[in-house]
């Protein structure tokens, strides 16, 4: 038991060090240093949107026609780190050997990278087209272009994080032949990603603001993000409940036919 706990702590410590290293690297990185994630993300955006982007050194990838730049701030690194720590801290302790834990650490990094490119490409594409579809008439003093951008990012990133965790949890439970009640599965699929999303998106910035004693705009942003996430959680909960009830009704119907 102690050996297993020690192995877990080593993996957790390695994950935390990796997160800190990436955050320090990202803080001063330009578009050239982030090409490992910006280049494939731009390619995916081009596939989804049909928009051509031109690389500009130390700036990013630019669409002159749509006046849009995929810059370092659009890289999705924070989502990558959030997905990574969620995967590592949620499933490492379920591995029964040090080798599997190490493999899972690497697999979590790779899966987080791939999923970030996939999700971020969708977010950027929506961020380009949705404001154009809505038009300036929808934008008000309250719903500014910046808040609309934040809303799009929060809905997509948060929803996808919930989906990623539920997918991995479902695969893991199936492989381990573990079963639980529908309500318990839905709750677990919501609580864990909610915790990690808020920890990375609001918790870490909160500590930074506390250290600098700089609260300008933070509480408005935190309240806005919390409200959006609450609506997403409610929708996921309602959807999960509906699917579960539909499945139970279908099973009862089939059983009734057989009898």
């Amino acid at each position: 038991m102690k050996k297993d706990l020690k192995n877990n702590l080593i993996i957790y410590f390695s994950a935390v060090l990796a997160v800190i290293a990436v955050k320090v690297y990202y803080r001063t990185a330009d578009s050239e240093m982030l090409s490992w994630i910006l280049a494939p993300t731009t390619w995916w955006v081009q596939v989804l949107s049909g928009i051509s982007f031109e690389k500009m050194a130390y700036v990013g990838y630019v669409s002159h026609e749509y006046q849009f730049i995929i810059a370092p701030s659009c890289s999705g690194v924070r989502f990558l780190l959030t997905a990574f720590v969620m995967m590592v801290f949620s499933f490492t302790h379920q591995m029964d050997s040090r080798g599997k834990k190490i493999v899972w650490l690497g697999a979590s990094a790779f899966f987080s990278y791939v999923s970030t490119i996939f999700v971020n490409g969708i977010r950027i594409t929506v961020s380009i087209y949705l404001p154009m579809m809505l038009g300036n008439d929808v934008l008000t003093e309250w719903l500014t272009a910046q808040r609309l951008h934040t809303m799009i990012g929060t809905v997509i990133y948060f929803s996808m994080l919930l989906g990623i965790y539920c997918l991995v949890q479902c695969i893991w439970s199936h492989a381990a032949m573990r079963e639980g009640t529908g309500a318990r599965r839905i709750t677990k699929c919501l609580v864990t990603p909610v915790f990690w999303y808020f920890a990375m998106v609001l918790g870490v910035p909160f500590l930074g603001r506390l250290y600098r004693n700089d609260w300008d705009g933070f509480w408005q942003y935190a309240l806005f993000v919390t409200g959006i996430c609450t609506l997403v959680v409610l929708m996921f909960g309602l959807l999960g409940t509906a699917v579960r009830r539909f499945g139970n009704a279908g099973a009862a119907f089939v059983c009734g036919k057989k009898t």
Side-chain angles (χ1 to χ4, degrees):
M1 188 69 175
K2 291 183 178 180
K3 183 178 179 180
D4 192 52
L5 178 60
K6 181 180 178 181
N7 290 335
N8 290 342
L9 291 176
I10 291 173
I11 298 298
Y12 297 153
F13 184 69
S14 299
V16 171
L17 283 181
V19 169
I20 293 174
V22 172
K23 286 187 73 67
V24 171
Y25 175 84
Y26 175 71
R27 188 173 299 172
T28 57
D30 55 30
S31 61
E32 302 301 309
M33 297 171 67
L34 291 171
S35 61
W36 53 274
I37 192 168
L38 286 178
T41 298
T42 303
W43 171 84
W44 179 228
V45 171
Q46 291 180 136
V47 171
L48 291 173
S49 66
I51 300 173
S52 296
F53 286 84
E54 175 188 347
K55 181 179 180 181
M56 294 186 64
Y58 305 105
V59 175
Y61 296 81
V62 182
S63 169
H64 298 287
E65 180 182 359
Y66 288 84
Q67 297 183 339
F68 195 92
I69 302 176
I70 302 178
S73 59
C74 303
S75 63
V77 167
R78 184 164 63 179
F79 179 82
L80 185 153
L81 297 179
T82 304
F84 174 66
V85 294
M86 181 185 72
M87 299 274 286
V88 172
F89 281 85
S90 299
F91 298 99
T92 296
H93 65 279
Q94 301 184 51
M95 308 292 168
D96 56 9
S97 69
R98 176 186 292 183
K100 290 181 180 180
K101 295 176 191 295
I102 295 174
V103 169
W104 181 250
L105 179 67
S108 297
F110 177 76
F111 182 77
S112 299
Y113 172 71
V114 173
S115 62
T116 297
I117 293 171
F118 176 78
V119 173
N120 200 26
I122 295 174
R123 181 193 68 83
I124 293 173
T125 302
V126 173
S127 296
I128 294 173
Y129 281 118
L130 185 59
M132 294 172 53
M133 294 170 60
L134 295 177
N136 294 328
D137 295 338
V138 177
L139 299 179
T140 63
E141 185 177 348
W142 181 84
L143 184 60
T144 61
Q146 180 61 41
R147 283 182 174 171
L148 178 60
H149 184 76
T150 301
M151 182 184 298
I152 293 170
T154 302
V155 170
I156 293 177
Y157 279 145
F158 185 60
S159 299
M160 290 295 187
L161 194 71
L162 292 174
I164 288 170
Y165 181 83
C166 289
L167 175 63
V168 176
Q169 178 64 40
C170 182
I171 294 173
W172 177 257
S173 299
H174 180 75
M177 295 183 173
R178 296 177 179 175
E179 295 183 358
T181 63
R184 183 179 180 183
R185 286 198 301 269
I186 294 172
T187 301
K188 191 171 184 179
C189 280
L190 291 176
V191 171
T192 301
V194 165
F195 169 79
W196 286 111
Y197 186 83
F198 276 86
M200 297 295 287
V201 172
L202 296 180
V204 173
F206 173 84
L207 295 177
R209 297 272 189 154
L210 184 64
Y211 176 76
R212 299 190 306 269
N213 194 27
D214 175 20
W215 304 105
D216 185 31
F218 176 78
W219 296 114
Q220 294 91 330
Y221 172 77
L223 184 62
F224 188 60
V225 169
T226 301
I228 295 171
C229 292
T230 301
L231 292 176
V232 173
V233 167
L234 290 174
M235 286 189 293
F236 262 78
L238 291 173
L239 180 62
T241 302
V243 170
R244 179 166 55 90
R245 288 181 177 177
F246 181 79
N248 291 340
F253 176 78
V254 171
C255 291
K257 283 285 187 180
K258 289 182 177 179
T259 56

